[in-house]
Amino acid sequence: MTITSAISVHKLDHYFGSGQLRKQALFDINLEIAAGEIVIMTGPSGSGKTTLLTLIGGLRSAQTGSLNVVGHELCQASEAALVKARRNNGYIFQAHNLHGSLTALENVQMGLEVQGTFTKEDRHRRAADMLKQVGLEERVDYYPADLSGGQKQRVAIARALVSHPKIVLADEPTAALDKKSGRDVVDIMYRLAKEQGCTILLVTHDNRILDIADRIIYMEDGRLSKQPEN
Ligand SMILES: Nc1ncnc2c1ncn2[C@@H]1O[C@H](COP(=O)(O)OP(=O)(O)O)[C@@H](O)[C@H]1O
Ligand SMILES: [Mg+2]
């Protein structure tokens, strides 16, 4: 039987800084995530969750070990290869990272700009459709400042998913939201990901959303385990 891994990490270490300040942040990370799987990563603050997520996303370069994301090896990859790899992913961060000077619709269209393959009309139509899917059809022309936290995060989800990425990386997407908005945001992300068949790796401290995961992994002191150690 062949198992298709969307993400395959082997013996990955990561260090920050150099010389005397060199500090190891990740130790011997091994992780396989199947295509279409939803994996939640939890663990204490400072344990290395964001570091691993950004390495997988090609947002920083991996040094030792191996890191294969949808068939591309990112360890020791060139900057050009990393830029290319980043385009395959959708990102959702704790702070929504929307452009304040752009409307909701324009922000979502940004998610298609990197692809470069769509006409202007096509981008407009796809972005509007995506905003409808996250329940914001009445807010397409609003600027971020005029949206609630939950609405902003829904725009961020629409932007991340409008290009139908194979992989969605979410770093504490509900951390700045109240309970109800957080739940809504995660439910929307879950539904869209299942419809599109994309793989999700989501970092969270939020115990209330763990139920959406196919699998939960735990990071502590730069090491991954399946269960929190008691
Ligand atoms: N850019 C950086 N430079 C130096 N050290 C960093 C950097 N980013 C993170 N670290 C360190 O790496 C460790 C893991 O951080 P991080 O991945 O952000 O943890 P988490 O997301 O689990 O809170 C921490 O000790 C943190 O201080
Ligand atoms: Mg973090």
Side-chain angles (χ1 to χ4, degrees):
M1 193 176 77
T2 342
I3 298 168
T4 11
S5 284
I7 298 169
S8 180
V9 186
H10 287 287
K11 296 187 172 13
L12 180 73
D13 295 325
H14 191 76
Y15 298 84
F16 285 112
S18 56
Q20 289 208 317
L21 295 176
R22 186 167 139 109
K23 181 173 169 270
Q24 188 162 2
L26 295 178
F27 298 80
D28 191 29
I29 302 293
N30 294 285
L31 175 65
E32 297 286 333
I33 300 182
E37 199 175 12
I38 297 181
V39 175
I40 285 185
M41 175 161 50
T42 70
S45 180
S47 60
K49 305 180 298 297
T50 295
T51 303
L52 180 56
L53 207 72
T54 52
L55 286 166
I56 290 171
L59 299 171
R60 62 172 85 246
S61 63
Q63 302 141 352
T64 62
S66 103
L67 173 55
N68 195 294
V69 181
V70 288
H72 301 287
E73 177 57 50
L74 299 187
C75 203
Q76 314 258 356
S78 67
E79 183 56 30
L82 290 181
V83 169
K84 218 171 150 192
R86 278 175 215 152
R87 296 195 181 136
N88 293 328
N89 310 320
Y91 302 94
I92 300 162
F93 301 102
Q94 171 178 349
H96 52 81
N97 294 93
L98 301 178
H99 290 270
S101 61
L102 301 179
T103 64
L105 187 76
E106 289 164 342
N107 267 288
V108 176
Q109 282 180 283
M110 293 286 288
L112 289 170
E113 227 116 274
V114 288
Q115 307 266 338
T117 50
F118 299 108
T119 63
K120 203 167 162 242
E121 292 71 33
D122 222 8
R123 283 206 302 272
H124 185 287
R125 190 178 49 75
R126 284 168 190 264
D129 181 56
M130 204 65 205
L131 281 168
K132 193 173 173 197
Q133 291 192 51
V134 300
L136 291 177
E137 62 269 50
E138 320 265 272
R139 297 283 185 278
V140 285
D141 295 325
Y142 280 54
Y143 288 91
D146 300 320
L147 298 170
S148 72
Q151 289 170 336
K152 279 186 279 212
Q153 200 58 302
R154 283 192 271 156
V155 176
I157 290 173
R159 181 184 55 185
L161 288 162
V162 70
S163 61
H164 288 224
K166 292 202 177 74
I167 293 178
V168 170
L169 301 169
D171 199 352
E172 310 205 26
T174 64
L177 303 178
D178 62 64
K179 182 177 174 182
K180 168 84 168 64
S181 314
R183 185 71 226 184
D184 287 350
V185 154
V186 162
D187 285 342
I188 289 167
M189 201 190 309
Y190 178 86
R191 174 170 56 77
L192 293 175
K194 285 291 174 193
E195 279 170 25
Q196 297 186 6
C198 73
T199 307
I200 299 187
L201 178 57
L202 186 157
V203 169
T204 191
H205 278 115
D206 190 345
N207 287 329
R208 299 173 307 225
I209 65 172
L210 299 181
D211 59 298
I212 69 155
D214 295 317
R215 182 154 57 106
I216 297 166
I217 57 178
Y218 189 76
M219 180 78 83
E220 187 159 24
D221 297 333
R223 297 172 199 273
L224 269 189
S225 65
K226 287 199 181 65
Q227 295 283 312
E229 281 165 38
N230 295 312

